[in-house]
Amino acid sequence: MPRRQLVRLTQGVIGVLTRLPLTQLRGNDVAGYLGLATMSILITLDISISIGCGLWLTRASGGEVAPNTGILAVIAGGASTASTLADQLGADQRYVSPCQYLW
């Protein structure tokens, strides 16, 4: 395992190198990326809200629904994927599948 200081140094170098091209963008270039940035932010918020709702479902059920089951039941999109993941992650597939298809 590498030393912690070395890991932090390399993370800093990689961070600077990946952001260096952004310093050369002009106004018109930045405007072209606004749509992609907005979409990325909305997707991140959607996933965060879904996870929060899944955890709320777990809490509201009084512990009858496990956290992994609650999150997979309400996560946005991909009903077939969520059902497959439920089986692999030990969630209750009998609960996840109907919730995914009823949303």
Side-chain angles (χ1 to χ4, degrees):
M1 186 88 189
R3 289 187 178 184
R4 183 179 214 147
Q5 293 172 335
L6 182 61
V7 170
R8 286 188 183 207
L9 176 66
T10 54
Q11 286 175 339
V13 170
I14 290 170
V16 169
L17 290 176
T18 57
R19 285 155 182 85
L20 193 58
L22 295 176
T23 62
Q24 299 169 358
L25 292 177
R26 302 290 176 241
N28 292 337
D29 297 332
V30 173
Y33 291 114
L34 285 178
L36 294 173
T38 303
M39 194 61 120
S40 175
I41 290 168
L42 290 175
I43 289 170
T44 302
L45 285 174
D46 181 47
I47 292 170
S48 300
I49 291 170
S50 293
I51 291 172
C53 288
L55 294 174
W56 176 81
L57 177 64
T58 299
R59 187 173 184 175
S61 72
E64 290 183 33
V65 177
N68 56 352
T69 301
I71 291 170
L72 286 172
V74 299
I75 200 157
S80 60
T81 304
S83 297
T84 303
L85 284 174
D87 187 41
Q88 294 176 355
L89 296 175
D92 189 356
Q93 191 173 9
R94 298 170 301 165
Y95 188 80
V96 172
S97 296
C99 287
Q100 278 292 316
Y101 286 104
L102 291 174
W103 278 111

